[in-house]
Amino acid sequence: MKWWISGMLLIIFIVLVIPSFIVRRCSISESKPIMIESKEQTIEEVLTIDIKSEENEPFIQLYDHINGKIIELSLEQYIVGVVAAEMPASFHIEALKAQAVAARTLAVRKMREYGGQGCSKYDAEVDVCSFYGHCQAWISDEEQKKNWGSSYDEKRKKIVQAVEETRGIILRYQGSPIEVFFYSTSNGKTEDSEEVFSMNLPYYGVVDSIGEEDAPQFKGIATFSRDEFVKRFKQYYPNSKLTVKNIESQVKILSYTESGRVDEIMVGGIKLKGKDFRTIYNLNSADFNFEFSDEEVIIHTTGYGHGVGMSQVGADKMAKDGKTFIDILKHYYIGVDIETVY
Ligand SMILES: [Zn+2]
């Protein structure tokens, strides 16, 4: 090839081919971030299903005990996070609505804006905390996404609907928000507040809660080695005469409450309440009985939770039988008024 032909080809290559590469590369690198950005926006839009805010809606200050942060959010936004934490989203919509009203009642009773005392557990001036053992459980939108994964959309929508359809509704007794109690599964009957919390509240009593037999928590078993059973009791009552050898003769249920839970029990010469025995052995319920073997003490329980007020499984059962959230609430909270607060 002659030198000038090679030179011409090189010039043609430089002038025509290389710029087209540069232009294509530039256009790719410029369009790329735009594509990613729009995709991210779409995901974000799909994942965050929020409740509408109303102008007259109060705000609540929450202490998120997991992240150690104080959060302010609208009351209904807060209730969405409580229902998500306190009841399985697979439950019937009317049961979720009953749970939303119970959760809102507890919140309003604590809110300083409505004359409540707020939460006293943490060194933070807030209305409520997110610890289930003190105020009531609450989980953030991020935690809901983590828990529910691909079913987030469907579950979040259902809970938002339950909260929206009960917006502002609480339970009152003689004008004041009631002291709300609820739990997972009953033993077939609810318990009086006097038996569990030594509180004589007129809207609690013993009512039937039927159809819970198929619930996963209805029957429970707690097994202890004979050594462990004695050791644990003696941590609370060191003077007890209970020994590994005398368990059969030294453990005796003395009486039952009206709902069939253990009222009093005698253990190694110590008389105690069934509810306190339940705490010592971390039992699902105060409805329990014993089975003894050469090696073990087996405790069978019925129900899950203290039994006062609404059984969540019972609420789901009532809803599936065609009852509304109002029917459910009026069944478990006797003689209450169902009213709006704002
Ligand atoms: Zn609290």
Side-chain angles (χ1 to χ4, degrees):
M1 202 184 285
K2 290 235 160 65
W3 66 269
W4 57 269
I5 299 176
S6 310
M8 283 289 280
L9 285 173
L10 186 65
I11 290 164
I12 291 166
F13 182 77
I14 290 168
V15 171
L16 297 176
V17 181
I18 291 180
S20 79
F21 261 111
I22 293 168
V23 168
R24 284 217 329 253
R25 282 198 65 87
C26 285
S27 66
I28 287 166
S29 67
E30 272 167 17
S31 64
K32 219 172 165 187
I34 296 166
M35 278 165 67
I36 289 172
E37 212 182 316
S38 66
K39 203 175 162 200
E40 275 174 351
Q41 277 170 352
T42 319
I43 291 168
E44 194 56 35
E45 263 169 38
V46 173
L47 286 181
T48 303
I49 300 156
D50 213 349
I51 190 152
K52 281 177 244 108
S53 219
E54 278 190 7
E55 231 174 76
N56 58 345
E57 188 180 338
F59 279 80
I60 186 164
Q61 274 89 38
L62 161 74
Y63 181 71
D64 176 357
H65 81 292
I66 292 180
N67 297 307
K69 282 193 296 195
I70 295 174
I71 304 169
E72 185 179 72
L73 63 179
S74 78
L75 177 59
E76 304 303 337
Q77 259 180 337
Y78 164 70
I79 300 302
V80 169
V82 176
V83 177
E86 292 278 9
M87 184 179 263
S90 56
F91 277 22
H92 194 283
I93 186 76
E94 292 300 315
L96 291 166
K97 282 158 78 173
Q99 184 71 50
V101 174
R104 194 180 295 105
T105 305
L106 190 149
V108 168
R109 190 179 163 94
K110 294 226 166 208
M111 283 168 78
R112 292 157 298 170
E113 186 174 336
Y114 292 109
Q117 300 292 306
C119 167
S120 56
K121 183 164 174 68
Y122 300 95
D123 197 15
E125 292 210 350
V126 291
D127 295 304
V128 285
C129 69
S130 61
F131 176 45
Y132 77 95
H134 193 251
C135 291
Q136 58 188 348
W138 171 90
I139 52 169
S140 66
D141 200 24
E142 282 66 42
E143 285 166 289
Q144 292 163 36
K145 283 171 192 164
K146 230 188 285 166
N147 291 351
W148 293 333
S150 59
S151 58
Y152 169 85
D153 263 28
E154 176 204 338
K155 289 181 169 170
R156 172 89 182 181
K157 261 186 206 158
K158 199 171 162 192
I159 288 175
V160 166
Q161 183 194 340
V163 176
E164 187 63 58
E165 287 179 8
T166 60
R167 175 177 284 277
I169 298 176
I170 64 161
L171 304 173
R172 283 204 185 98
Y173 188 82
Q174 292 180 350
S176 302
I178 70 163
E179 179 89 58
V180 165
F181 296 111
F182 56 85
Y183 54 93
S184 164
T185 311
S186 86
N187 68 341
K189 283 181 189 296
T190 67
E191 185 57 286
D192 197 347
S193 59
E194 182 86 58
E195 304 286 3
V196 181
F197 303 112
S198 304
M199 287 167 136
N200 182 16
L201 298 168
Y203 36 88
Y204 290 113
V206 180
V207 299
D208 289 335
S209 188
I210 50 167
E212 301 184 47
E213 297 78 9
D214 297 333
Q217 312 271 29
F218 187 72
K219 288 285 180 189
I221 292 179
T223 305
F224 301 89
S225 71
R226 294 176 74 97
D227 269 344
E228 171 61 16
F229 183 81
V230 173
K231 210 172 117 194
R232 200 179 291 197
F233 194 76
K234 291 208 159 175
Q235 281 171 0
Y236 291 82
Y237 298 99
N239 298 329
S240 159
K241 292 194 232 43
L242 188 69
T243 67
V244 170
K245 286 191 177 147
N246 71 12
I247 294 175
E248 281 83 347
S249 65
Q250 288 298 311
V251 175
K252 195 173 184 315
I253 293 171
L254 301 176
S255 59
Y256 294 89
T257 67
E258 191 190 333
S259 75
R261 293 168 177 88
V262 174
D263 181 21
E264 286 188 314
I265 180 170
M266 185 76 93
V267 182
I270 307 279
K271 188 156 85 172
L272 68 156
K273 289 295 231 179
K275 62 171 182 173
D276 297 328
F277 185 86
R278 179 192 168 210
T279 305
I280 293 173
Y281 292 97
N282 198 21
L283 303 177
N284 285 356
S285 162
D287 180 341
F288 55 83
N289 57 64
F290 296 94
E291 189 188 330
F292 305 107
S293 76
D294 290 346
E295 273 91 43
E296 292 170 332
V297 176
I298 301 150
I299 308 176
H300 298 270
T301 55
T302 306
Y304 189 51
H306 50 63
V308 179
M310 182 175 72
S311 157
Q312 294 174 312
V313 169
D316 188 41
K317 171 75 181 155
M318 282 182 76
K320 283 172 180 157
D321 286 346
K323 300 285 193 283
T324 67
F325 77 97
I326 292 177
D327 298 329
I328 295 167
L329 293 167
K330 292 224 168 203
H331 178 71
Y332 288 109
Y333 304 101
I334 305 155
V336 296
D337 298 313
I338 300 176
E339 300 170 343
T340 51
V341 70
Y342 70 89

